[in-house]
Amino acid sequence: MFVRWLAALIAFGAVAFLGIAVFGDFSADAAGNSWALIAAIGLAVGFVAYAAIEFAQTGGFASIARQFDIRTLALMPVAIAINIILGAAVANALKIPIYLDSIGTILVGALAGPIPGALTGFLANILWQYIIPPPFQGTVAAPFAIVAAVIGLLAGLFGRAGWLRPRPDRSLGELAVGGVVALVVVIGLAIYAYTRFYTGAFQFFNPENDNVLFTVLGWLIALLFVGFAVGFLVLLVLRRDLTVAYVTIAGVLTGVVAALISAPISANLFSGITGSGTDFLVAAFRQAGSDIQTATFQQGLLSDPVDKLVTFFVVYLVLNAMARRSKARFPQGERLIETDATDTLGEAGWRGAPS
Amino acid sequence: MARRPELTVASPRDRGLPEAIGRPGPSAFHRLNPLTKATLATMSAIAAVVVGGLVGPLILLALAVVLPAAAAGVLRRLAVTSVLLALPIALSAFVLNLFFFPGGQDVLLRIGPVVATAEGLAFALEILVRIMAISGAITLFYLTTRPGDLVVDLERRGVSPRIAFVANASVQTVPAMVERASQITAAQRARGLDTEGSFLRRARGVVPIVGPVILGSIAEVEERTLALEARSFSRPGRRTLLWAPADSAVEAVLRWAMVVAVIGLVVARATGALA
Amino acid sequence: MSLRLEAVGYRYAGARQPALLDVDLELPDGAVVGVAGASEAGKTTLCLVAAGLAPRAIGGRIRGTLTLDGETIDAWPMHRVAAEISIGFQNPATQLSGVTTTVFEEVAFGPMNLALARDEIIDRAWDALEAVGLADLAERDPWRLSGGQQQLVAIAGLLAMRPRHLVLDEPTAQLDPAGTQLVGDALLRLAQRGASILIAEQKTDLLAAVCDTAVALRHGRVAAAGPAAEVLGAGLDELGVAPPARVRLQRAARKAGLPPDVIGRLAEATAR
């Protein structure tokens, strides 16, 4: 048992060390630097090491397989199908710069836990490219499997921490605090990102900037942010559900992490081109003078948080629409239900399922 | 300690299994072990990325994709499918890079303020060729392999039956969900849902369809779980497979050779031996 | 090898009231036992409990004793119970495993999970297909069959596991009349062959045709138990269930004032 975790840790460390040695440059300027990707790969390799040791010891993967009860296994294909169908529809039909291919992943993460969530994301991307027939087949999906895995992992952790549990009918005071915290986090991140990654070669609002595209883009993005802030506050007050704030923060954080990991993949493998609506953004940033690495990261930092925000909200809505009984039977379902009087245990003569 | 399942496989037909199960493919390439074909596809894709440039991926495309496709008799389907898949990417690659390539000096064409450069053209072609190689390699795999075959082969080699289940079920759930979506679309239309018209109207019409599809599918998960339990699916350990694709030592050697070759390419690229 | 429930009660997770209370039921080998009752009377719950899915797969609390051949099965894991007592449900499509492309492989799914020898599995699959009359459809795609055919595939899949007892929860509820006929005939053949079945149904005609004994439920308790002809009689009206057609026919004949000997001959003619 201990041997497995040790092996995993060593593997993670080895990958990290190797990554730093080979790619080296983590200077403050290189926006597309790969440390997040290396960390993600390290996680994956560590997991493989853990599994390999367990297989060598016991000839099976019992400790991992046990986390996957039948209900989770029955949910995963549905989640994967949702990912693929929506993702393909958005990429092929609607040329908007978001992905919408993680709804299933985050749903499984929330209901079943981090590892099932990670596996759902991973499998969805691999199957999307290798086994699903056209017209749904994804052309560039497989290399991003590791991003999807990390998204599922994060969703599982947020679910486990109770971030997706409904908190309705809170006082205006509590809602105000939640709203402020969420807005501070999001706007703070936005300002940090803007000053760090988007200035320099060009400016969004600089009136002397003779590139009309960027001035327009800049105002559009600002409008989007204002719209988001207003909409968010309205939602918070209307539903009186404090979880809206939690979901917002979870979405934006997941989006940032996803952008960090996917940018190097997109830049190095495909030079930022994926055939979806995001290509325009990448081209625009390149035109303004960023190199490929930076441009893909700049695009990702815009698309991913928005995409994951929308996705987390959709998942939260879906979870709310599910019956309590259905959610409770999932491994992590208890964390998604409002806390009130739970099942009275230990009444005379009544016994539960054998363990 | 669990016993490792055997690798040799008798032909499915002599034991009373229906003919349709495990039927071998029409060509020699089809009859290759699925793992071999998958390895070929993945290694070709990786090689196309590593080698870079214009010539390398084209050679790879010819050798690892076009040649086997011709041998397998799927060349035409491959061409059609690849072109269809690559079209959106080709569009992006060309339009965006041809005209918006930064730092391009060698001007080819000038349309108003927009300039097409030779560097942009070269870059766009490189991306296109790389993506065609990757997409071609994987489409070749998809066209010559039944999806269930790869999963059965992996399960025979030791992958957990539970993971195999998820992979197989996902392949069947996608078309089932699409069919459900069309049924719900028809039902909603009968109730007056507007599915034509402006983009905004169509976008608004998405929710009454996507919502029931997602929720309906999730609601079914409960029933499916019970039905699976009723068939002892939660029994720990291996299960018996009715058949598995044949494998041979030659193919195993080939697979390892491909992996080693690609690793060699990666090393060569990293140490600068490649251009 | 009889399955016996004694004073069995069951409460769903988070529910205040029990869904079943004080139920006694015996399913002897080779017998067909029917369960009648209005909706929400507890038929489905009884089936889930008898097949071991409640509480194992759905949580909740149980009391009372379940024994198989005298041995208590409380501590048995789910897959072991499933091999002895297999349950079929209403919806034909959700019972498909979703991982097979032929009817044959679908039927073989259960035995494959039991890790039996390959020849054994193939034998059992063919036997099960013949028992429900689907041997000709062995190579068809299960998704492309009619509802009734899919339900028969599901039942064949359960039979292939060679369980001691088969539990069927309203197998014809979601079928059209043609499908109901198909499944009803197959069940009749199975009953005549000596299969051991616990079948819950709203369609009391079906129960009257196949069952030896029956049980009627009301609000989770047993309201009547005994030979099928007795239980499935006029008394069902109080329970909110339509009695079988022959009972209704006799009642209508009596009301219309037909002479007793005619009614007697009607009863004989419509008897099983």
Side-chain angles (χ1 to χ4, degrees):
Chain A
M1 191 57 205
F2 172 69
V3 176
R4 297 180 208 157
W5 284 105
L6 190 64
L9 207 63
I10 293 176
F12 180 81
V15 170
F17 182 72
L18 207 71
I20 294 174
V22 171
F23 292 100
D25 182 11
F26 292 125
S27 63
D29 286 338
N33 65 42
S34 316
W35 55 266
L37 176 60
I38 293 172
I41 295 179
L43 273 178
V45 172
F47 178 74
V48 170
Y50 178 98
I53 299 288
E54 178 166 14
F55 189 75
Q57 286 177 331
T58 63
F61 299 103
S63 83
I64 301 169
R66 209 180 305 134
Q67 296 181 38
F68 292 78
D69 71 331
I70 307 298
R71 199 165 270 106
T72 307
L73 290 179
L75 179 65
M76 284 171 70
V78 172
I80 291 176
I82 294 176
N83 277 5
I84 292 176
I85 294 176
L86 281 179
V90 169
N92 297 337
L94 311 168
K95 293 294 187 184
I96 44 181
I98 61 175
Y99 316 107
L100 274 195
D101 60 0
S102 307
I103 294 181
T105 311
I106 294 177
L107 189 66
V108 173
L111 282 168
I115 304 288
L119 190 65
T120 304
F122 188 81
L123 272 181
N125 277 50
I126 300 282
L127 290 176
W128 193 1
Q129 183 143 16
Y130 275 88
I131 294 191
I132 301 292
F136 290 104
Q137 184 177 29
T139 11
V140 294
F144 293 99
I146 195 158
V147 184
V150 171
I151 293 174
L153 192 79
L154 284 175
L157 293 174
F158 284 128
R160 186 167 285 191
W163 281 33
L164 294 167
R165 175 181 302 138
R167 294 170 176 80
D169 302 322
R170 295 301 164 105
S171 66
L172 270 177
E174 281 185 304
L175 291 176
V177 170
V180 165
V181 170
L183 281 177
V184 162
V185 168
V186 173
I187 294 180
L189 272 174
I191 293 178
Y192 174 74
Y194 180 70
T195 50
R196 183 97 145 58
F197 300 116
Y198 292 91
T199 56
F202 57 89
Q203 305 255 351
F204 271 122
F205 298 109
N206 189 347
E208 283 150 42
N209 186 352
D210 55 2
N211 195 330
V212 182
L213 177 67
F214 273 102
T215 323
V216 172
L217 209 63
W219 282 108
L220 263 176
I221 293 177
L223 215 67
L224 203 74
F225 259 104
V226 171
F228 156 75
V230 169
F232 168 75
L233 289 170
V234 165
L235 199 65
L236 198 63
V237 169
L238 266 181
R239 288 186 66 115
R240 305 193 62 128
D241 186 350
L242 187 57
T243 310
V244 169
Y246 284 88
V247 169
T248 307
I249 300 178
V252 172
L253 283 180
T254 308
V256 169
V257 172
L260 282 171
I261 305 178
S262 60
I265 300 177
S266 181
N268 290 323
L269 291 186
F270 307 113
S271 296
I273 308 232
T274 55
S276 66
T278 55
D279 296 353
F280 297 109
L281 271 181
V282 175
F285 285 120
R286 296 227 354 253
Q287 183 66 1
S290 312
D291 63 6
I292 296 180
Q293 300 268 4
T294 317
T296 44
F297 183 61
Q298 286 167 330
Q299 173 264 319
L301 210 54
L302 279 180
S303 305
D304 259 306
V306 171
D307 178 62
K308 298 305 172 283
L309 188 62
V310 171
T311 306
F312 261 93
F313 264 102
V314 170
V315 169
Y316 183 59
L317 287 174
V318 169
L319 286 174
N320 276 2
M322 285 173 70
R324 274 188 66 131
R325 209 155 53 156
S326 319
K327 277 184 285 193
R329 294 176 185 175
F330 279 97
Q332 233 172 231
E334 292 291 327
R335 321 255 177 159
L336 304 170
I337 301 178
E338 304 161 41
T339 42
D340 63 1
T342 41
D343 193 25
T344 48
L345 299 163
E347 273 181 21
W350 294 94
R351 48 184 199 276
S355 45
Chain B
M1 179 84 171
R3 213 167 56 85
R4 214 202 129 102
E6 306 229 326
L7 263 186
T8 53
V9 155
S11 152
R13 230 164 325 288
D14 39 88
R15 306 279 205 97
L17 211 55
E19 290 239 337
I21 299 175
R23 203 192 328 240
S27 81
F29 187 81
H30 279 85
R31 286 191 282 269
L32 283 177
N33 184 279
L35 193 62
T36 310
K37 287 183 275 186
T39 312
L40 175 67
T42 315
M43 293 301 129
S44 309
I46 297 179
V49 171
V50 170
V51 166
L54 214 53
V55 178
L58 275 175
I59 296 181
L60 227 76
L61 194 64
L63 285 178
V65 177
V66 174
L67 219 61
V74 295
L75 191 55
R76 202 159 150 268
R77 273 184 76 191
L78 181 76
V80 170
T81 316
S82 289
V83 165
L84 280 175
L85 280 178
L87 217 55
I89 298 182
L91 220 64
S92 292
F94 263 86
V95 170
L96 296 181
N97 280 294
L98 190 57
F99 292 103
F100 294 110
F101 192 75
Q105 307 292 1
D106 192 358
V107 177
L108 297 173
L109 198 64
R110 196 180 280 272
I111 308 176
V114 187
V115 180
T117 59
E119 288 88 344
L121 183 65
F123 186 72
L125 279 176
E126 250 187 64
I127 300 284
L128 188 64
V129 158
R130 183 190 298 176
I131 292 192
M132 294 239 52
I134 295 177
S135 144
I138 296 189
T139 309
L140 174 65
F141 168 76
Y142 157 72
L143 284 177
T144 54
T145 315
R146 279 182 303 238
D149 291 4
L150 179 62
V151 181
V152 169
D153 196 51
L154 289 176
E155 194 178 343
R156 183 259 302 270
R157 289 175 203 277
V159 166
S160 157
R162 301 187 173 203
I163 309 291
F165 169 83
V166 173
N168 275 323
S170 303
V171 174
Q172 290 200 9
T173 309
V174 170
M177 202 178 281
V178 170
E179 204 174 305
R180 184 194 219 116
S182 26
Q183 283 171 1
I184 292 186
T185 308
Q188 297 287 40
R189 270 215 201 108
R191 287 197 203 111
L193 180 73
D194 194 352
T195 51
E196 309 288 309
S198 73
F199 178 77
L200 204 60
R201 200 173 295 165
R202 268 185 291 165
R204 254 212 312 243
V206 160
V207 175
I209 297 176
V210 168
V213 169
I214 294 183
L215 288 175
S217 304
I218 294 178
E220 274 188 355
V221 167
E222 187 62 32
E223 288 180 32
R224 292 193 178 280
T225 307
L226 298 183
L228 286 170
E229 293 273 22
R231 298 164 85 180
S232 287
F233 185 61
S234 56
R235 183 177 168 282
R238 289 263 97 90
R239 60 176 192 150
T240 312
L241 296 173
L242 284 181
W243 78 285
D247 195 13
S248 67
V250 172
E251 291 193 49
V253 166
L254 261 169
R255 291 195 291 266
W256 280 112
M258 284 190 272
V259 174
V260 166
V262 167
I263 293 182
L265 274 176
V266 172
V267 168
R269 178 64 183 264
T271 57
L274 279 174
Chain C
M1 294 285 183
S2 59
L3 171 68
R4 190 173 276 155
L5 279 71
E6 283 165 45
V8 164
Y10 177 78
R11 219 179 45 185
Y12 284 100
R16 265 171 291 254
Q17 299 296 340
L20 280 185
L21 206 47
D22 219 19
V23 169
D24 290 317
L25 182 70
E26 180 171 359
L27 184 58
D29 242 7
V32 182
V33 177
V35 180
S39 349
E40 307 299 314
K43 298 194 299 295
T44 299
T45 314
L46 181 57
C47 290
L48 291 175
V49 169
L53 283 172
R56 285 173 193 78
I58 61 174
R61 303 248 173 258
I62 193 175
R63 98 209 288 191
T65 22
L66 281 102
T67 55
L68 192 59
D69 226 26
E71 184 187 344
T72 9
I73 61 175
D74 285 342
W76 285 21
M78 184 65 233
H79 62 87
R80 192 173 164 203
V81 181
E84 305 286 349
I85 310 169
S86 302
I87 176 170
F89 302 94
Q90 295 184 25
N91 189 338
T94 53
Q95 292 183 80
L96 294 181
S97 66
V99 294
T100 56
T101 45
T102 59
V103 164
F104 189 87
E105 289 168 293
E106 181 65 32
V107 171
F109 183 71
M112 283 165 72
N113 290 336
L114 296 176
L116 303 169
R118 211 166 142 260
D119 293 341
E120 175 74 22
I121 297 177
I122 297 177
D123 271 339
R124 289 193 182 193
W126 282 121
D127 283 348
L129 282 171
E130 273 149 25
V132 298
L134 286 186
D136 294 331
L137 303 182
E139 298 191 5
R140 295 272 302 274
D141 181 356
W143 286 98
R144 295 268 162 266
L145 300 177
S146 73
Q149 289 169 326
Q150 280 180 344
Q151 188 65 289
L152 285 184
V153 170
I155 294 177
L158 300 174
L159 289 175
M161 311 222 321
R162 304 246 171 109
R164 302 247 172 261
H165 305 281
L166 194 60
V167 176
L168 296 174
D169 181 17
E170 297 199 50
T172 64
Q174 297 189 14
L175 303 180
D176 60 12
T180 306
Q181 183 77 21
L182 198 63
V183 173
D185 288 344
L187 288 178
L188 197 53
R189 279 198 310 273
L190 286 175
Q192 284 161 354
R193 276 200 193 181
S196 188
I197 310 180
L198 177 71
I199 172 167
E201 261 293 351
Q202 294 258 25
K203 298 185 173 107
T204 43
D205 284 295
L206 183 57
L207 291 180
V210 300
C211 298
D212 308 314
T213 60
V215 148
L217 293 181
R218 176 176 35 196
H219 300 317
R221 289 175 187 270
V222 174
E230 279 177 32
V231 174
L232 300 173
L236 281 182
D237 289 306
E238 295 170 12
L239 303 173
V241 181
R246 62 186 292 263
V247 173
R248 283 179 282 142
L249 190 61
Q250 286 174 43
R251 206 177 9 200
R254 237 174 274 130
K255 241 196 190 162
L258 291 179
D261 59 318
V262 175
I263 299 179
R265 268 186 284 152
L266 250 176
E268 277 171 40
T270 54
R272 183 151 63 116

